[in-house]
Amino acid sequence: MIQAKRDLLSALGEALRQAAPDAPASFSPVFEAPKQAAHGDLAVTAAMQLAKPLKKNPRELATALVAALEAQPAVQQWVQLPIEIAGPGFINLRLKPAAKQAIVTDVLAAGEQFGWQPKTGKKVLVEFVSANPTGPLHVGHGRQGALGDALCNLFETQGQSVTREFYYNDAGVQISTLAWSTHARIKGYKPGDEHWPESAYNGDYIAEIAADFLAKKTVKADDREFTASGDPEDLDGIRQFAVAYLRHEQDLDLKAFGVRFDNYYLESSLYTDGRVENAVQRLVDAGKTYEEGGALWLRSTDYGDDKDRVMRKTDGGYTYFVPDVAYHIAKWERGFEQCVNIQGSDHHGTIARVRAGLQAAGVGIPQGWPDYVLHKMVTVMKNGEEVKISKRAGSYVTLRDLIEWTSKDAVRFFLISRKADTEFTFDVDLALKQNDENPVFYVQYAHARIHSVRAQYAEKGGDLPSIHGADLSLLTADTELALMTKLAEFPGMLTAAAQGLAPHDVAFYLRDLASAFHSYYAAERFLVDEVELSRARVALLTATAQVLRNGLALLGVSAPEKM
């Protein structure tokens, strides 16, 4: 079907040149999916789009276009004739079974690479999770991890070179609070005591850090290692140990979640490397700043912001978006053509000022760069009630809690199964169900069911390697044609999901594919007496399992062969 669509798109372009030679050179006809399956497999709306600029009746234009189409060899090869014109000028094409059957061969030949595009050389950086090391990762970080990792995988299917980056501050106010909280625990104080700092972190993990510091332990994270002095008055040592300890904890959480990073970038390095000062000087030299009330302001309204923004406060410190501007200039200078930041929706207010700062800096960054994916937070339900705290973290549900209560697969699939900008309720009870209500079980069960059929086929003497030469023309049942049509949508879905920064589309697709398979499973027998029909059906099932496996892998979810 993929080859058929390529051939037909070329045929459509040639037919349009014949039927509407005066069409604008910039107009490129495309195929659309009909809103109703009964209307066919492919729809063309070119006649209605061109009717006004060409000053022609859309249905008459459609009639001429259909006549030109039906004369094209590719149309005669792949399309059931005659072609139908509907309504004011919709052109609906119904593909021959052979066009759909060909997808089975395509999938079996490409295997794990089915849906992948050739290498492009485009460098993409995705920044996600980026949690300051002040406590365990919470469920919101988990949503970022699922979104970011799946989006990186999607970019890789499009032939792009992807870098996964984790950005954090190891020297800010929160880190100072972490150090003082640990220091208070070392001194023997605990939450509720008279001398316990009001702003301190109260989770049990602070006591764990304090105990390990006194024990002079060494902690090693992906980006740092530190050995505790054990000296209760060594506040800087306490700070460094606590940061390394929590970075190590984050690494454990991320490993359990199946998320990895290529690079860690410290906010503190932007100051020590002079990048913040250099960025500010660029903006001053460009005439994009002014002094008022003892503060330095950015003329961000010149770039669409609703008001100008303070860069340097009256006390000499910089506001939050200034190091962000410096950080993104560094990203640009590192050669990343596209950058995507995955952050909580509370970061919405910083987007306009960061982009304004980047435009004002005049370093060649295009408008609208970087891209942002903002996600809403997650509500956790368990036993019919909302869960708000974790014993260890003290004030929120941790990612590790969610994984331990359910599974990595359930957490990954659930957190990616809704658009990022929508509220999401994670129902622990639903994630544990082994029935069709549980979406991850529904998809994984489809894969396991197929492997059960393949095993039965082999037990009855079927030669699994021979399915690659199966007579696919025997696959003509409605449920077979529907399943093959869904398989053929996979590559286009990946491209659209990557372009739209929409990894949830993969989860949606997998549920639809599983549904098409389960309908097929209910309607037909696979291990039939007709040897060639049985072989063809097992070939279709094998291709379906491959696409299920490919899609689940993009989400970081396993594809079990038994359940």
Side-chain angles (χ1 to χ4, degrees):
M1 190 167 171
I2 295 172
Q3 185 58 51
K5 286 180 73 172
R6 289 197 193 103
D7 294 347
L8 291 173
L9 192 59
S10 297
L12 177 59
E14 179 56 34
L16 186 65
R17 282 188 286 274
Q18 295 176 17
D22 298 331
S26 60
F27 182 79
S28 297
V30 296
F31 289 118
E32 300 175 14
K35 293 183 178 179
Q36 297 182 30
H39 291 168
D41 299 299
L42 302 171
V44 180
T45 58
M48 292 181 293
Q49 293 173 282
L50 291 172
K52 188 173 182 179
L54 296 182
K55 298 179 180 178
K56 291 186 178 181
N57 178 287
R59 195 168 176 96
E60 290 179 5
L61 188 55
T63 301
L65 184 53
V66 164
L69 271 171
E70 292 183 339
Q72 296 293 318
V75 174
Q76 294 169 3
Q77 179 184 1
W78 298 118
V79 177
Q80 294 180 7
L81 302 179
I83 295 173
E84 172 190 298
I85 300 175
F90 287 101
I91 298 173
N92 294 323
L93 284 69
R94 286 181 171 79
L95 299 176
K96 292 179 179 179
K100 301 178 181 182
Q101 292 155 356
I103 194 64
V104 176
T105 302
D106 292 344
V107 174
L108 295 179
E112 293 179 357
Q113 295 296 303
F114 177 69
W116 287 56
Q117 305 302 319
K119 296 287 186 184
T120 65
K122 179 180 179 181
K123 289 181 63 180
V124 180
L125 183 143
V126 181
E127 180 211 328
F128 59 109
V129 180
S130 294
N132 288 343
T134 56
L137 295 179
H138 56 60
V139 177
H141 296 133
R143 193 172 195 184
Q144 277 200 39
L147 287 166
D149 196 50
L151 189 56
C152 289
N153 292 337
L154 272 172
F155 285 144
E156 287 171 346
T157 70
Q158 302 307 296
Q160 296 162 5
S161 175
V162 181
T163 296
R164 294 159 161 83
E165 188 150 284
F166 189 121
Y167 170 83
Y168 69 95
N169 186 358
D170 63 337
V173 173
Q174 291 179 330
I175 301 300
S176 178
T177 302
L178 171 68
W180 280 110
S181 302
T182 307
H183 181 255
R185 282 282 196 176
I186 290 171
K187 290 288 192 180
Y189 302 122
K190 61 183 183 299
D193 289 351
E194 181 182 353
H195 296 289
W196 184 254
E198 185 176 344
S199 61
Y201 296 119
N202 297 327
D204 289 350
Y205 67 94
I206 298 294
E208 296 167 9
I209 298 171
D212 283 0
F213 179 83
L214 289 173
K216 300 182 180 181
K217 289 190 177 180
T218 298
V219 286
K220 183 176 182 180
D222 282 354
D223 69 319
R224 59 177 61 218
E225 180 176 347
F226 191 80
T227 299
S229 66
D231 178 1
E233 302 307 321
D234 179 12
L235 193 61
D236 186 62
I238 292 172
R239 177 185 64 78
Q240 292 191 61
F241 181 79
V243 168
Y245 184 100
L246 287 171
R247 276 290 311 113
H248 171 70
E249 289 284 306
Q250 291 176 346
D251 289 342
L252 293 177
D253 289 344
L254 292 167
K255 185 176 181 180
F257 203 42
V259 173
R260 64 174 178 82
F261 286 91
D262 301 305
N263 192 43
Y264 293 84
Y265 202 107
L266 301 182
E267 182 179 338
S268 61
S269 73
L270 296 169
Y271 293 91
T272 56
D273 294 347
R275 284 193 169 275
V276 172
E277 289 294 339
N278 288 343
V280 171
Q281 195 60 49
R282 281 181 189 272
L283 297 173
V284 171
D285 292 346
K288 300 299 183 180
T289 64
Y290 60 91
E291 297 267 359
E292 184 178 289
L296 180 68
W297 296 71
L298 174 67
R299 299 183 189 276
S300 55
T301 50
D302 290 355
Y303 302 93
D305 200 358
D306 59 345
K307 61 181 180 180
D308 291 342
R309 304 290 176 172
V310 173
M311 293 176 56
R312 188 174 59 234
K313 297 175 287 187
T314 54
D315 64 3
Y318 291 112
T319 54
Y320 284 114
F321 84 94
V322 177
D324 280 351
V325 171
Y327 176 40
H328 284 87
I329 291 175
K331 288 183 180 180
W332 179 254
E333 291 176 345
R334 286 155 63 196
F336 292 106
E337 183 179 337
Q338 182 178 9
C339 286
V340 183
N341 298 338
I342 300 180
Q343 298 173 323
S345 55
D346 55 329
H347 287 78
H348 184 272
T350 66
I351 295 176
R353 63 197 76 169
V354 169
R355 286 177 173 168
L358 295 174
Q359 291 300 298
V363 294
I365 293 175
Q367 289 186 359
W369 191 99
D371 294 314
Y372 287 85
V373 175
L374 300 183
H375 68 89
K376 297 283 182 69
M377 299 307 286
V378 180
T379 299
V380 179
M381 299 291 290
K382 188 179 182 185
N383 299 323
E385 297 181 354
E386 182 178 349
V387 186
K388 292 186 176 180
I389 63 170
S390 159
K391 183 177 185 300
R392 188 160 184 271
S395 58
Y396 54 83
V397 178
T398 69
L399 174 60
R400 195 176 301 182
D401 288 333
L402 217 51
I403 294 172
E404 289 175 354
W405 292 340
T406 58
S407 67
K408 182 201 78 154
D409 284 349
V411 178
R412 293 275 299 223
F413 196 97
F414 272 49
L415 292 180
I416 208 76
S417 64
R418 293 287 187 277
K419 291 181 66 175
D421 61 358
T422 59
E423 300 285 351
F424 181 65
T425 298
F426 191 105
D427 188 335
V428 172
D429 302 326
L430 176 61
L432 293 173
K433 286 185 177 180
Q434 295 194 359
N435 60 28
D436 293 356
E437 295 177 43
N438 180 348
V440 67
F441 177 86
Y442 186 67
V443 175
Q444 289 180 319
Y445 187 47
H447 186 268
R449 252 183 168 178
I450 290 171
H451 275 271
S452 176
V453 174
R454 280 171 48 86
Q456 292 173 48
Y457 178 74
E459 287 172 8
K460 291 191 174 186
D463 181 18
L464 285 171
S466 76
I467 63 171
H468 290 262
D471 181 1
L472 302 175
S473 67
L474 299 173
L475 301 174
T476 57
D478 288 345
T479 50
E480 289 169 336
L481 295 171
L483 181 54
M484 290 184 287
T485 298
K486 182 55 65 175
L487 292 176
E489 293 174 7
F490 186 66
M493 180 277 297
L494 295 182
T495 298
Q499 291 174 345
L501 309 181
H504 62 273
D505 283 352
V506 180
F508 289 1
Y509 171 85
L510 288 171
R511 292 180 69 173
D512 289 345
L513 179 60
S515 177
F517 161 74
H518 289 304
S519 295
Y520 181 33
Y521 188 92
E524 303 291 343
R525 290 176 55 237
F526 308 118
L527 307 182
V528 294
D529 293 336
E530 299 95 321
V531 174
E532 286 304 315
L533 177 59
S534 187
R535 187 156 64 133
R537 286 180 170 172
V538 172
L540 172 55
L541 292 185
T542 303
T544 303
Q546 183 68 66
V547 176
L548 286 168
R549 196 156 56 248
N550 290 3
L552 287 168
L554 294 176
L555 303 185
V557 177
S558 69
E561 296 186 3
K562 291 182 179 180
M563 292 183 72

